[in-house]
Amino acid sequence: MESHKNRVKLNVGGKKFETTATTLLGAGRNSFFGAMFDENWNLHSDGPITEHFIDRNPDYFGVLLDLLRTGELYIPQNIDKKILYREAAYYGILDNVRSAECDTFDGNRLRLVKSITVFPSGGGKVTPAIRASLDGWCCVAQGSMVHVYDWMLEEHPTISLDYHKVNDVCWVNSESIVVSFDEDLANGGMGLFSASNGELKYKFQVTDYMKGLGPSNYINSAIDFSSDYKLFSSWESTTSYGHRIGVWDIVTGKLMDFLCCPPDCSRKNATRLQWLHDTNCVMAVYSHPKNDICLFDIRQRNMVWTLDRDRKKQYLADIEDAIAIEESSSICVVDWNECLSFMDLRSTDRSVNWRKSTKGVAPSHFRVNIKTCYPKLAYHKGQLFSSMEDRISVYCGSNWIVTSEFRQSHGGSICDFSIGGDRLFALRKEENVIHLWETPRPPII
């Protein structure tokens, strides 16, 4: 039997509810209900039971209260799911809803849960890109625009770059997005934007590191950031200064370092940068025609690993994408034929451990006629993902065996995909459709 002090009365929109403090504790300290308790998790009132009035919809509150009571989410037919999410966000229990709806991320059990057409086709040669945040938001970069969608896939104000082409985007946190765009470094070719309203917070600053380097001759592209809020950006010289990697402080926007790449390294911009936490290095991937992969030690300010030239010619004729897997100290590379190559970062001869063609050689007409379906890679929670045409393959185990594939014909080929917040977002270029894939909870027996 619940004690008198543990009982709580709530009046939500004129409808009376009675529950317990124990139930409301499940909402967490930062929830709407957290204000009812003191720092020791005791109800503020020690006297008679006080009725708390909440000016919200009682029907939706009833669903959420049952969620707090049982940990299970049942949504009646008369309840609009999108409005329920909004109510959950108001009460600060959206994470409870997410946990009740989705199981731990597993690429072998992903199910398509939603598809949305995100924006009118802009045409042109620019292939759109999609990036997921850690809390399940996503953004789509196309042309000079970045379209932002929250956890409910509702669109927020667009980030507009005034006709400057977006080169790359990355989420700093749930509130901020860094965008690199086609403007020279002297004018600030990167900006920190608000995810909620699309406003520019600041442009990243140029400092004395740039003196004598011809700052107006650099254009940026790929970006990534570290856990201690350092931002890395690839910069390509339009003259003869070579390729460099800039290091910025995300919090202040100030340039901390500007690393010069070796002469034999590509002068072209990297197509992917990836921060490697365990080695304090940043990996730069250069796609064809240069086809190179380099690791730069940020503390030593020099390149510590690159592909052996003979190995590169033998194994990596067409690098389309590459990703470092720190758990196994390896780099996975995918080419146009969706052949995966794995290189051991601990090997002194830069050897390729093994190479596997997952689907055979792509026909020549496919390579010539389809320019928007370049293979992409992602790694998440011990699973490797590779996209090709209208499908995504999942690889598991020490030998990276294909364990499952999932596809959706609607929307055409996958031009990009991203994983974040235990969700996978696949972007289809032909019809500008986002497919959202999640791991559902098993049915309750």
Side-chain angles (χ1 to χ4, degrees), residues 264-265 290 292 306-314:
D264 62 340
C265 190
K290 190 66 180 180
D292 209 347
T306 188
L307 285 177
D308 177 83
R309 299 298 156 179
D310 294 334
R311 294 286 182 182
K312 184 169 61 176
K313 292 178 182 178
Q314 180 180 358

Side-chain angles (χ1 to χ4, degrees), residues 207-234:
T207 66
D208 291 342
Y209 280 105
M210 295 301 300
K211 287 185 178 179
L213 296 178
S216 62
N217 296 315
Y218 282 91
I219 301 294
N220 70 334
S221 63
I223 53 179
D224 197 15
F225 73 98
S226 65
S227 56
D228 58 351
Y229 289 93
K230 291 185 180 70
L231 176 70
F232 306 99
S233 179
S234 170

Side-chain angles (χ1 to χ4, degrees), residues 25 157 189 236-237 243 277 308 315 344 354 391 394 412 421 433 436:
L25 287 176
E236 172 190 352
S237 174
H243 172 254
H277 177 269
D308 177 83
Y315 292 102
D344 192 338
W354 56 274
R391 60 178 165 77
V394 185
V433 172
L436 171 61

